[in-house]
Amino acid sequence: MTYLDPHGINADLHSHSTRSDGVLTPEALVERALANGVELLALTDHDEVSGLQAARRRAQELGLRFICGVEISVTFAHKTVHIVGLNIDANNQVLLESLTAIRTGRTRRAQVMAQGLAEYLNKNTRASSALAAFQGHLSDEQLAEVIYAGALQYAGNPDLISRTHFARYLVECKLCKHLSDVFLHYLTPDKPGYVETSWASLTEAVSWIRQAGGQAVIAHPGRYRFSETEKIALYETFKELGGEAIEVITASHTREQYSDFVRIAKHFDFLASRGSDFHGPYESRVDLGEVGLLPLLPDSVIPIWHNW
Ligand code: AMP
Ligand code: MN
Ligand code: MN
Ligand code: MN
């Protein structure tokens, strides 16, 4: 690294491709990052590393520094937490086998989601009129199949069907105008398409990342609805397990949260990361490495890439 001040680097260390719930292929993602002025990029697909080889190859061709990453779904204190792994060996057997195991549950989960949505929509006239195209008086089971197949069409990787794919399909059906509305009304706890899922434990996720030679980062810490006690338990447990960093600058944080997480990083002696969590050009409010909306890391924290 020839930079004198690592804080000045436009690093984007959190992004998604069609291998999970992003809309760009790994290659197109790399091209867009370069065009946007990103100097250090990580692809961090959910529970999946199969896009890394293509992304790394394209980044090499274009001369962009590329980091292999992953975003692992974790259940901590009965809620979902995302742990990003950076600088992982994408061929590590433990990591590959463990990720395959967490992905396996997604297909069954998606079928149950489709069933919950179908039952609700068949009962609710206003909502189901939005799905008029299928209203040849479908049974719950038939409608569930239609919804499942519709969501699957949006999944570039059939092994990784996520709530995002359902949300895209339901927007296409005009059930809601925006993805966030579908999440709010249909895909979050206590809503008809929400299915309680048991992901990896925090211990497992951090250990897989470390066994693959990577560094573990708590993704978008401002998004978790934990009590203060649970938050502290998350940071302390993560630290004890060998977790190293938190995302300070990420698209879902407010300006106040940037300062909050600078304080948390200092208090727990965490390195700091920065990433857009980009999913797609027309979907994500913040584009890859978009400095105007995603500030560079402040001087008061140590960037996770300081010694890369
Ligand atoms: P899953 O892993 O299937 O539970 O899906 C989680 C994904 O849904 C996240 O990675 C986000 O991409 C997306 N997501 C979650 N909440 C929202 C929201 N309110 N609006 C838009 N996308 C969301
Ligand atoms: Mn996502
Ligand atoms: Mn996430
Ligand atoms: Mn993400």
Side-chain angles (χ1 to χ4, degrees), residues 64-297:
L64 172 61
R65 278 196 77 195
F66 180 78
I67 299 298
C68 287
V70 66
E71 181 176 18
I72 303 182
S73 311
V74 162
T75 302
F76 182 86
H78 308 289
K79 291 197 172 75
T80 300
V81 166
H82 286 169
I83 301 295
V84 160
L86 295 176
N87 259 324
I88 50 163
D89 168 8
N91 297 313
N92 179 273
Q93 276 310 311
V94 172
L95 181 68
L96 287 173
E97 284 164 22
S98 309
L99 292 180
T100 305
I102 4 179
R103 281 196 305 271
T104 308
R106 280 190 178 264
T107 300
R108 179 70 198 133
R109 171 197 192 226
Q111 286 160 350
V112 181
M113 285 172 65
Q115 187 67 30
L117 289 165
E119 284 166 17
Y120 176 83
L121 294 175
N122 262 344
K123 274 198 222 105
N124 185 309
T125 351
R126 204 174 66 87
S128 62
S129 67
L131 281 163
F134 312 116
Q135 285 214 306
H137 304 288
L138 297 183
S139 68
D140 289 352
E141 285 66 31
Q142 288 168 325
L143 186 58
E145 275 175 36
V146 169
I147 294 172
Y148 179 77
L152 194 59
Q153 275 194 342
Y154 280 88
N157 174 2
D159 284 347
L160 206 123
I161 181 158
S162 87
R163 286 186 290 160
T164 313
H165 303 117
F166 280 88
R168 290 188 185 132
Y169 175 64
L170 294 173
V171 166
E172 178 197 313
C173 292
K174 300 198 165 48
L175 191 61
C176 294
K177 224 171 150 184
H178 302 287
L179 285 192
S180 53
D181 300 328
V182 188
F183 275 92
L184 186 65
H185 298 295
Y186 296 94
L187 299 177
T188 38
D190 304 319
K191 302 297 179 198
Y194 187 75
V195 176
E196 188 85 38
T197 310
S198 187
W199 301 111
S201 69
L202 186 64
T203 309
E204 288 172 322
V206 175
S207 118
W208 300 336
I209 291 167
R210 297 186 71 202
Q211 285 179 72
Q215 290 173 280
V217 185
I218 300 178
H220 40 65
R223 282 208 350 218
Y224 309 126
R225 299 286 155 260
F226 284 132
S227 68
E228 282 309 308
T229 319
E230 287 168 331
K231 279 183 204 169
I232 292 168
L234 172 65
Y235 303 139
E236 285 182 345
T237 313
F238 179 71
K239 182 91 192 172
E240 280 161 20
L241 293 168
E244 293 182 51
I246 58 169
E247 287 181 351
V248 169
I249 306 291
T250 167
S252 56
H253 283 178
T254 61
R255 297 174 72 90
E256 292 72 44
Q257 284 176 320
Y258 298 153
S259 322
D260 294 344
F261 291 105
V262 163
R263 271 197 301 277
I264 299 283
K266 285 182 175 167
H267 182 84
F268 291 90
D269 203 13
F270 287 138
L271 299 170
S273 191
R274 171 182 188 258
S276 60
D277 203 358
F278 178 79
H279 283 72
Y282 303 104
E283 244 172 49
S284 295
R285 189 183 58 85
V286 177
D287 208 329
L288 288 160
E290 192 178 1
V291 179
L293 291 173
L294 197 72
L296 298 178
L297 273 189

